[in-house]
Every structure is written in C-alpha cells, then in structure tokens.
Amino acid sequence: MSDLPKSQALLVLAQLKFCAANLVWADRSNHSGLLLATAQPEDDTGAIIPGLTMQLEIKRPIIVNRCQYELGLFLLENGTRRRVYQLNVTPRDKRSHNQTSGPLYGPHEHVGDSVQTISDPDIQCGELEVAFKFFCDKANITFTGQLNSPL
C-alpha cells in the first residue's frame, strides 16, 4: 500500500461522502483474530465514488484495553491502493507507528503521507463507536447505516 501525498488526500477528504451500508464484519482470511468490514462511499447523487473504499479492521482483544482498530479510507489509483485517511487506535502506551523522527505511541492518524498523534482522550480502546464517528467526521462521510460493532 502507498499513501497519497497529503495535499491530494486533503482534496479527497474535502469531498462530501455518504454511506448507508449496514456493515458486515467477517474474519480476515489471511490473519486470525482480525475482523474486517468494507463499504463504498457514495457522492451526493447516490453514485458510488469510483475507486474509493472504506475499510475497517479490528483485532479481537482478549483484554478490552489492549485493542487495535484501523479505520481507513483508500483510493484505487492506476491499479494501486493508496491510503487517503486512516485512524489507528491502540493503547496509549503501545508503540503504534515508526517514523524518522521517532516512534509514535497510542492513537494516531494518517492524512495521506502525513502522520500525527491523536490527543483526544475519547479516542481509546473499548470505544469503537466513538472512534468510528471521529473517523467519519475526519473523512467527511455522513454515515447512516449500522456499524454493527462486533465488540
């Protein structure tokens, strides 16, 4: 997977998106313990936005406060899946991302090729619905379907 440049990701994020899907969670075929749900956002006319996919992935935690949620928006561009936006939720004491300036711990977000920590205390393990709302707000998605949280 590659990332869109931040400037291009911001243009995609600025576009209004809608999703009325009732999400269905399934085991990820290549990784035991992970659940995956996907949906295709639509524009304001109800047409699916070409190449744009919402992918939500959660690791089934044995202990609730040791979660891992990855909520992402991806664009298929010239046959390459590119990250537009992704919210990663992990415990605040867990190394969750490595970058040249040093590791990040806890929740963080990717806006294209830019990564930053999330300081909002409500974005935490055990709060998938809160994280999903944060994700939808950041990705400019009006979600009217059902999350159907498997947690």
Side-chain angles (χ1 to χ4, degrees):
M1 168 183 45
S2 66
D3 297 321
L4 284 178
K6 182 178 181 181
S7 59
Q8 190 176 350
L10 290 171
L11 292 174
V12 175
L13 292 175
Q15 180 183 8
L16 292 174
K17 293 169 274 310
F18 301 88
C19 184
N22 291 327
L23 299 179
V24 175
W25 295 87
D27 291 320
R28 186 168 172 175
S29 62
N30 64 347
H31 198 292
S32 178
L34 290 180
L35 294 171
L36 184 69
T38 60
Q40 292 183 284
E42 301 172 347
D43 64 17
D44 58 355
T45 70
I48 291 173
I49 301 170
L52 201 61
T53 303
M54 191 169 71
Q55 178 176 309
L56 313 175
E57 185 174 291
I58 59 174
K59 182 176 182 181
R60 283 191 194 135
I62 295 170
I63 301 168
V64 173
N65 65 358
R66 302 307 297 172
C67 75
Q68 179 178 336
Y69 312 147
E70 294 182 0
L71 313 178
L73 186 66
F74 300 91
L75 180 64
L76 188 63
E77 184 179 72
N78 299 320
T80 301
R81 185 171 176 252
R82 305 195 66 193
R83 178 169 38 203
V84 176
Y85 178 79
Q86 185 170 324
L87 172 64
N88 291 53
V89 180
T90 62
R92 295 200 180 275
D93 63 347
K94 181 180 180 187
R95 179 187 288 203
S96 58
H97 184 78
N98 291 315
Q99 54 187 16
T100 55
S101 60
L104 296 179
Y105 290 83
H108 67 273
E109 65 184 347
H110 297 256
V111 178
D113 57 7
S114 174
V115 183
Q116 54 213 20
T117 59
I118 300 288
S119 58
D120 184 332
D122 293 332
I123 304 304
Q124 61 180 323
C125 291
E127 298 291 342
L128 179 59
E129 292 82 0
V130 174
F132 182 66
K133 182 182 181 326
F134 183 95
F135 164 78
C136 288
D137 289 347
K138 288 288 194 136
N140 206 6
I141 298 170
T142 299
F143 185 79
T144 56
Q146 296 294 316
L147 177 60
N148 295 323
S149 173
L151 300 179

